[in-house]
Amino acid sequence: MNGAECLVKTLLAGGVDVCFANPGTSEMHFVAALDSHPQMRCILGLFEGGVTGAADGYWRMTGQPAATLLHLAPGFGNGYANVHNARKGFGGMVNVVGEHADYHLKYDAPLKGDIEGVARGVSDWLRVSSDARAVAGDGADAVRAARSANGQIATLVLPANTAWDAAEAPADPLPPVRLHRPRPDQIRAAADALRAEGAALFVGGAALHGDLAVLAGKIAARTGCRLMADLFVPRLQRGAGAVAIECMYYAVLENAEILKDVRHMVLVGAGEPVAFFAYPDKPSTPTPPSCHLLDLCGPRMDIAWTLQALAEETDALDSTPAVLALDLPALPSGTITAQKVGAALAALLPENAIVVNESVTAGQPLSDATRTARRHDWLNNPGGAIGAALPLAVGAAVACPDRRVIAATGDGSAMYTLQSLWTMARERLDVTVIVFANRGYQILRGELANVGVHSVGRNAERMFNVEDPQLDWVALAAGHGVAAERAHDMDSFVAAFSGAVERPGPFLIEVCLPSSAPGFA
Amino acid sequence: MNGAECLVKTLLAGGVDVCFANPGTSEMHFVAALDSHPQMRCILGLFEGGVTGAADGYWRMTGQPAATLLHLAPGFGNGYANVHNARKGFGGMVNVVGEHADYHLKYDAPLKGDIEGVARGVSDWLRVSSDARAVAGDGADAVRAARSANGQIATLVLPANTAWDAAEAPADPLPPVRLHRPRPDQIRAAADALRAEGAALFVGGAALHGDLAVLAGKIAARTGCRLMADLFVPRLQRGAGAVAIECMYYAVLENAEILKDVRHMVLVGAGEPVAFFAYPDKPSTPTPPSCHLLDLCGPRMDIAWTLQALAEETDALDSTPAVLALDLPALPSGTITAQKVGAALAALLPENAIVVNESVTAGQPLSDATRTARRHDWLNNPGGAIGAALPLAVGAAVACPDRRVIAATGDGSAMYTLQSLWTMARERLDVTVIVFANRGYQILRGELANVGVHSVGRNAERMFNVEDPQLDWVALAAGHGVAAERAHDMDSFVAAFSGAVERPGPFLIEVCLPSSAPGFA
C-alpha cells in the first residue's frame, strides 16, 4: 500500500467520501488510489474555483467536509477565492494539493511554486507530508482540523513521492478538538443584557438554522430582545415556519439606522457587524458607539452549548419563538425587474429549496421578496469574493440530491466560475440558475458615487459595462451542456422558472434587466 | 491631487500606459484616476487570470510592463496562476492590488485577506503603500522593479485611504537596476567550452529572438557548437529566416536522448534543463551526468552583453548563423489530426504572425510542423499552469495590433480562462483561436501510465474525460461575442482558418479530434 492509498482509506474512515477534483500530473498516484476506492465519489471541476466552492456548499448543507484535489501552487491559486469565501463562513474542507517529489523541488521546474505561501493565508491548518509513512496520520489530522472549531480549512500538501512510496496502514479517525465555552458568569451577564431595554441577540453559524435557531428564537421570545444576524451568512433558514431573524443590509449607514436603538448586543456564533468596505467619512462599523457589546461566544466556540445555557439561564426553554408565516405574493407580470423576479421566486419556490444568492445589486430585492416564501435555506457569500454562487450550488446539490437548488447570480459574478455549469450537467444536478444580466458591474457605479465621483468617463465606463459585446448566457449555458432560456418579461420568466424547477438536472434562465449604463461622454 | 492620481501619472511617466483591469470597490479612486487620464488604455477582463496573463503577453511582445488592476487578496488569487507563468518566463508587470483602508483592516470585513501572503511567492518585488504621499515613489519603484533583471513581477498593494488621501506630486521614472555580467575569465572559459567537441550553447530569454538570436547563431556557426533552448520558452522566433535553434521536448527521457552527446553546455539566459515532473525511476534532469555545465549568464543577468562578449571572444561577429529556410507543406485534407492541423497552419500562417501554443497533447505536432513556415514568433507557457493561451493572446494582440495572433489551445486548458474571449471581442483583437477538442485531459492518461497505472476505472475516467456533456466551443465563443466554426475534417479546417486570418477581430475554430477515451470498466 502506498501513501496515496493510505490517504484515501484514511479520508474514507474519517467520513470524507466526496472529492471535488481538478487533478494534474503530480496527483496521478492519488488519482489511481481514488480509482481503486469507488466508495469515494469523485466530481470533476474544469476550474479549481468550482472545486473549492463546491466543497464549501457541501459543508454548509451537511456539516461534513469534502476533499478537494488541486494541482500544485497555481491550482491552489485558482481555488483561492472560494477557499477564502469558505473560510469566512467557517466552512470545513480538506484540500489535498499535489506537489513535486521533494527531491525534484531544487530544480525549479516550471510548475514549482510556493504552495505553503499561497495556502497559508486561507488555511486554518496546513501541513506538507514529509514521507509516505506520515501521510495517513497527516490525513487523519487534516480531517480532524476540518471538523474542529465549527469548520476549518485544512490543507495537506502531498509531495508526489509521499504518494507513491510504500506506506503502512491508514489512520483511524480522530475526534474534533473540544470547543471553548463561555464561563457561567458570562452567561449570566449575557442573560441580564438580553433582558435589558434595547437588547439584541446577534447570532451566526449553526444558530441560523435548525434546532439552534429555534433555541435562539426562544431566548428572544422570552427576553424580549431582537434576534439579528449579519447579511452575508453562510446558511440561513427562512420561509414559512422558520424562526424570524432580522438581517442586516449591505450599506453601513442603512445598518447604522437599523441598529440605532440597540444598547446591548450579545454575540453568539458571530463577530461584531462591520462595514463591507471603508469609505471616506463613513464609519467602519454600524453599531452605535453607546452600544454595549458582549462577545459571549465567537464563531469558533461552542454555539450549541452556549445557546442551551443561555436558554436555561433566561428560562426560555418552554417559550415559543416568533416564526415567519407563509405569505406568498401574486405572480407579477409585465416588464421584468429584480423586485418582480423576487416576487415570482417567492410565489414559485418549491418546498425545502436551497437558494444560493450572489445577485449583487439584485440580491437585496430578491432576499426581501422571498423571506416569507415556502421553507428554504438561503446561502450567501460570507467572503465577498464574487464567483461563489455556481460552485456553491454544485456542492449543495451534491449534498442534498432530494432538494431543488436555485442559484441566483449577477452576470459579472457568474463569469468568474462559469465552468461550474459543466459540472452541473455532468452530475445531473437539480440546479436552476438565474443570471441577472444587467450587462455590467452595476455595483461599481454605485461604489464610484460612494467615494464621491459622479461623472463617469470612457476609462471607467469601459471597466464597468459588459455591453459590448453582450454576454449571451443561453449560449454560454449550451456550451457547457446546460439548457437555458432568456426571459425578457415576467411572463417568460414565470414560464421558464416554473418549468425549470420541475425538470431534472440543471437549467439556466437569463433575466434581461435594463442596464443602467449612462453611456460615456 | 490624491494618491491614486499620483500613481497613474507616475505609471504614465514610467512608460506604463496599458492597464489590464478587473477592479472592485476598494479600487474606485484608482478607477477615477484612470478615468481622468485617457492616455492610459484600460482593458477590462472578466476574470483576473485573463488580466495577469494579458500583461504577460504584452510584456513578451513589447518588453514594456503593463499594469494590472486587481481587487484584494481573492482578486490576486484569481490572477495567481498567470502571474506564476509570467514569472517563470521572466515577464515584467506592475500589479496594483486594492486593499481595504488601513484603519478598516482590524474589523475583519468579508474581503479582508492576506494580500502579501498570496502575492509574495510570485512577486519579485512587493510593497504595501504606507500613505498617500508614499504612493508616487512606490509606483516609480514598482516600475523600476518590473523593468529590472530582465523583467520582474512588481506588486504594489494600495490601501484605499492611500488612494483617496491628499498627496503631492507624481514621481519621476527610475532607471532599471544594472544587470550583473559574467567575469572575463568566465567568458574565456565559455568560449573554450563552446569550441570543444560535444558543445552546446543553451540560450533563453532575449537570446531567442531578434538581434541577440542572430548573435547566438553566429557564435554557434563560428564555434561549431549546437544552439539549443528549452521547450517552454516565453518567446521564440521561428520560420523562414529565423536563426535555427534546436528545442527540447516534453518527456525527460526523450530529452536525455537529445542531449546524450553533449559534453559541454554553456548556459546564457537560461537555467539547466530539467524534467517537467519527477517520476519514479526517471531522472530529474535530462543532461548526461558526464556533461560539464557552465552557468555563464543566468536569466536575470546581462544576456546582451554576455553574447556580445562571447561573440568577440570567439571571433564570431562576422560569421553567418544557420537560419531556417522556408519549407511549406502541402495543404492536407481528409480526416483531422493534430499533425495535419500543424501542416495546414504551416502552409497558411500569415507573415509575421504570433502563435501562442498551449495545445498540450497537440502542442508538439503543431510545433514540429510549423518550424519552417513563414517568419513568426512562438509563445509557450514557461510556468506550466494551464490557462495561459487566451490571456497571452489578448496581451500580444494589444501589443502588436498590426500582427495576426493565433492562439492554439487544448479544450481542457482553454476552459481555465475562457473569459478572455470576451476581451478579444470587446477590443476587436485580431486573434484566431484554435481549440483542440479532444474531450478531456488527454495528457493525464499518459501521465497515469507514466506512473505505472495502466487500467483506468470509473473514478479516474470521470476525472480525465470531458465527454459527458461535450463542451460546445462554438456556443461558448458565441456566448462571449466571438464568432466561431467547428472543423470536423481538414477541408473545413482549412476553409475556416483561411477565412479567420483574413477577417478583422477574433474568430474561434473548434478542431474536433477523436477522443482517446477508452470507456471505463
Side-chain angles (χ1 to χ4, degrees):
Chain A
M1 189 183 304
N2 63 24
E5 286 162 336
C6 274
L7 180 54
V8 173
K9 287 183 194 299
T10 300
L11 291 174
L12 286 167
V16 178
D17 56 8
V18 171
C19 179
F20 297 100
N22 187 266
T25 299
S26 43
E27 292 76 59
M28 279 305 104
H29 284 87
F30 193 71
V31 166
L34 292 168
D35 206 29
S36 59
H37 292 83
Q39 59 274 50
M40 179 74 80
R41 181 174 177 190
C42 292
I43 297 174
L44 179 62
L46 300 184
F47 175 70
E48 293 89 341
V51 164
T52 53
D56 185 15
Y58 186 84
W59 167 269
R60 294 195 201 183
M61 297 313 301
T62 61
Q64 299 291 323
T68 72
L69 179 54
L70 305 169
H71 185 44
L72 299 146
F76 194 97
N78 283 336
Y80 182 95
N82 274 331
V83 177
H84 163 93
N85 288 331
R87 182 158 175 270
K88 291 289 180 155
F90 308 98
M93 67 178 73
V94 177
N95 300 309
V96 178
V97 190
E99 169 62 300
H100 284 297
D102 51 17
Y103 62 83
H104 195 62
L105 284 172
K106 66 177 173 190
Y107 293 104
D108 198 28
L111 273 163
K112 184 192 160 194
D114 177 9
I115 302 182
E116 290 171 271
V118 64
R120 185 170 290 115
V122 287
S123 297
D124 300 295
W125 181 98
L126 173 65
R127 189 178 297 170
V128 182
S129 276
S130 59
D131 63 78
R133 273 181 295 273
V135 168
D138 293 340
D141 284 348
V143 176
R144 172 165 62 177
R147 292 186 183 282
S148 294
N150 296 322
Q152 296 191 118
I153 309 298
T155 300
L156 177 61
V157 181
L158 197 63
N161 55 314
T162 71
W164 74 51
D165 282 347
E168 278 148 17
D172 291 332
L174 300 166
V177 177
R178 191 153 174 273
L179 297 169
H180 290 287
R181 295 171 174 177
R183 299 187 311 269
D185 63 298
Q186 292 174 307
I187 297 286
R188 287 192 297 274
D192 288 343
L194 291 177
R195 283 184 289 237
E197 195 155 340
L201 176 58
F202 198 86
V203 294
L208 296 173
H209 51 88
D211 293 345
L212 297 188
V214 172
L215 208 47
K218 288 182 172 186
I219 295 165
R222 172 64 73 194
T223 62
C225 74
R226 288 161 79 181
L227 182 59
M228 309 190 78
D230 221 327
L231 171 59
F232 294 108
V233 293
R235 179 180 173 190
L236 174 69
Q237 209 162 45
R238 308 197 324 162
V243 173
I245 300 178
E246 203 181 337
C247 283
M248 308 292 285
Y249 279 69
Y250 179 72
V252 64
L253 294 183
E254 205 167 354
N255 287 336
E257 181 62 26
I258 291 172
L259 294 176
K260 71 177 194 300
D261 298 327
V262 176
R263 298 187 199 166
H264 302 270
M265 182 183 281
V266 175
L267 303 172
V268 176
E272 177 189 2
V274 300
F276 207 84
F277 290 108
Y279 304 94
D281 309 321
K282 289 185 189 173
S284 277
T285 64
T287 328
S290 60
C291 176
H292 175 235
L293 213 63
L294 207 160
D295 187 359
L296 181 64
C297 169
R300 295 293 191 196
M301 291 172 64
D302 194 335
I303 299 169
W305 183 91
T306 302
L307 285 175
Q308 182 69 29
L310 206 50
E312 288 171 10
E313 183 67 30
T314 55
D315 194 25
L317 287 171
D318 296 327
S319 63
T320 304
V323 297
L324 301 170
L326 187 69
D327 183 8
L328 301 183
L331 271 178
S333 64
T335 56
I336 203 160
T337 67
Q339 285 74 9
K340 287 193 205 170
V341 170
L345 215 62
L348 299 170
L349 205 63
E351 184 71 33
N352 215 20
I354 301 164
V355 182
V356 183
N357 182 31
E358 195 181 47
S359 312
V360 194
T361 40
Q364 194 63 51
L366 219 63
S367 170
D368 290 343
T370 49
R371 189 163 181 250
T372 57
R374 292 175 197 86
R375 180 82 79 107
H376 60 276
D377 280 297
W378 188 266
L379 277 52
N380 265 318
N381 179 353
I386 55 177
L390 302 180
L392 284 172
V394 166
V398 169
C400 304
D402 53 340
R403 299 175 67 175
R404 170 61 52 172
V405 178
I406 319 287
T409 170
D411 49 358
S413 46
M415 280 302 290
Y416 286 75
T417 48
L418 75 166
Q419 305 92 339
S420 288
L421 292 170
W422 181 86
T423 302
M424 293 177 191
R426 156 70 70 103
E427 301 291 331
R428 276 72 170 166
L429 302 177
D430 294 338
V431 180
T432 305
V433 179
I434 302 171
V435 177
F436 289 94
N438 59 19
R439 316 295 176 202
Y441 299 104
Q442 301 305 336
I443 191 167
L444 296 188
R445 297 180 195 282
E447 294 289 16
L448 194 67
N450 263 335
V451 300
V453 178
H454 294 285
S455 73
V456 177
R458 185 172 199 281
N459 266 342
E461 185 55 37
R462 295 284 285 180
M463 288 191 278
F464 292 168
N465 92 51
V466 186
E467 293 217 319
D468 170 22
Q470 286 200 1
L471 292 164
D472 175 343
W473 280 97
V474 175
L476 291 173
H480 290 93
V482 171
E485 271 179 47
R486 187 168 292 121
H488 284 287
D489 58 31
M490 284 311 301
D491 290 341
S492 59
F493 177 80
V494 165
F497 186 78
S498 307
V501 295
E502 289 300 323
R503 61 184 277 166
F507 192 85
L508 182 146
I509 304 168
E510 178 179 350
V511 173
C512 298
L513 293 179
S515 163
S516 56
F520 50 83
Chain B
M1 192 182 303
N2 65 24
E5 287 163 338
C6 273
L7 179 55
V8 173
K9 288 182 195 296
T10 299
L11 292 174
L12 286 167
V16 178
D17 56 8
V18 171
C19 178
F20 297 100
N22 187 267
T25 299
S26 43
E27 292 77 57
M28 279 306 105
H29 284 86
F30 193 71
V31 167
L34 292 168
D35 205 30
S36 57
H37 292 83
Q39 60 273 51
M40 179 73 81
R41 181 173 176 190
C42 291
I43 297 174
L44 178 63
L46 300 186
F47 175 70
E48 293 89 342
V51 165
T52 54
D56 185 15
Y58 185 84
W59 167 269
R60 294 194 201 183
M61 297 313 301
T62 61
Q64 299 292 325
T68 72
L69 179 53
L70 306 168
H71 185 45
L72 298 147
F76 194 96
N78 283 336
Y80 182 96
N82 274 332
V83 177
H84 164 94
N85 288 331
R87 181 159 176 270
K88 291 288 181 156
F90 308 99
M93 69 178 71
V94 177
N95 300 309
V96 178
V97 191
E99 168 63 300
H100 284 297
D102 52 16
Y103 61 83
H104 195 63
L105 285 171
K106 66 178 174 191
Y107 293 105
D108 198 29
L111 273 164
K112 189 202 156 183
D114 177 9
I115 301 181
E116 290 172 89
V118 64
R120 185 170 289 114
V122 287
S123 298
D124 300 294
W125 181 98
L126 174 64
R127 189 179 296 169
V128 182
S129 277
S130 59
D131 63 77
R133 273 179 297 270
V135 167
D138 293 340
D141 284 347
V143 176
R144 171 164 65 176
R147 292 186 184 280
S148 295
N150 296 321
Q152 296 192 116
I153 309 298
T155 300
L156 177 59
V157 180
L158 197 63
N161 54 314
T162 72
W164 73 53
D165 282 348
E168 278 145 18
D172 291 330
L174 299 167
V177 178
R178 191 153 174 273
L179 297 168
H180 289 286
R181 296 170 173 177
R183 298 187 311 269
D185 63 298
Q186 293 174 308
I187 296 286
R188 287 191 296 276
D192 289 343
L194 292 177
R195 282 184 289 240
E197 195 154 341
L201 176 58
F202 198 86
V203 294
L208 296 173
H209 52 88
D211 294 346
L212 296 188
V214 172
L215 208 47
K218 288 181 173 189
I219 295 166
R222 173 65 73 194
T223 61
C225 75
R226 289 162 77 181
L227 182 58
M228 309 190 78
D230 221 326
L231 171 60
F232 294 109
V233 293
R235 179 181 173 190
L236 174 69
Q237 207 162 44
R238 309 197 324 161
V243 173
I245 300 178
E246 204 182 336
C247 283
M248 307 292 286
Y249 280 70
Y250 179 73
V252 64
L253 294 182
E254 206 168 351
N255 287 335
E257 182 62 25
I258 291 172
L259 294 176
K260 71 176 192 301
D261 298 325
V262 176
R263 296 187 201 166
H264 302 271
M265 182 182 280
V266 175
L267 303 172
V268 176
E272 177 189 2
V274 301
F276 207 87
F277 290 107
Y279 304 95
D281 309 321
K282 289 186 189 173
S284 277
T285 65
T287 329
S290 61
C291 175
H292 175 235
L293 213 65
L294 207 159
D295 187 0
L296 181 64
C297 169
R300 294 294 191 197
M301 289 172 65
D302 194 336
I303 299 169
W305 182 91
T306 302
L307 286 175
Q308 182 68 29
L310 207 49
E312 288 170 10
E313 183 67 30
T314 55
D315 194 25
L317 287 171
D318 296 327
S319 63
T320 305
V323 297
L324 301 171
L326 186 69
D327 182 10
L328 300 183
L331 271 178
S333 63
T335 56
I336 203 160
T337 67
Q339 285 75 8
K340 288 193 204 171
V341 170
L345 215 59
L348 299 171
L349 205 61
E351 184 70 33
N352 214 20
I354 300 165
V355 182
V356 183
N357 182 29
E358 196 181 48
S359 313
V360 193
T361 40
Q364 194 63 52
L366 218 63
S367 169
D368 289 344
T370 48
R371 189 163 181 252
T372 57
R374 293 176 196 84
R375 180 83 77 106
H376 61 276
D377 281 297
W378 188 266
L379 277 52
N380 264 318
N381 179 353
I386 55 176
L390 301 181
L392 284 173
V394 166
V398 169
C400 304
D402 52 342
R403 299 176 67 177
R404 171 63 51 173
V405 178
I406 319 287
T409 170
D411 50 357
S413 46
M415 281 303 290
Y416 286 75
T417 47
L418 75 165
Q419 305 91 341
S420 288
L421 293 170
W422 182 85
T423 302
M424 294 178 191
R426 154 71 69 105
E427 301 291 329
R428 274 76 168 164
L429 302 177
D430 293 340
V431 181
T432 306
V433 179
I434 302 172
V435 177
F436 289 94
N438 60 17
R439 318 290 176 205
Y441 299 104
Q442 300 305 337
I443 192 166
L444 296 187
R445 297 181 195 282
E447 294 288 17
L448 194 67
N450 262 334
V451 301
V453 177
H454 295 283
S455 73
V456 176
R458 185 174 198 280
N459 266 342
E461 186 55 36
R462 295 283 286 180
M463 287 190 278
F464 293 168
N465 92 52
V466 185
E467 294 218 319
D468 171 20
Q470 286 199 1
L471 291 164
D472 176 343
W473 280 97
V474 175
L476 291 173
H480 290 93
V482 172
E485 271 178 46
R486 187 168 291 121
H488 283 287
D489 58 31
M490 284 311 301
D491 291 341
S492 58
F493 177 81
V494 166
F497 187 77
S498 307
V501 295
E502 291 298 324
R503 59 184 278 165
F507 192 85
L508 183 145
I509 304 168
E510 178 179 350
V511 173
C512 298
L513 294 178
S515 164
S516 57
F520 51 82

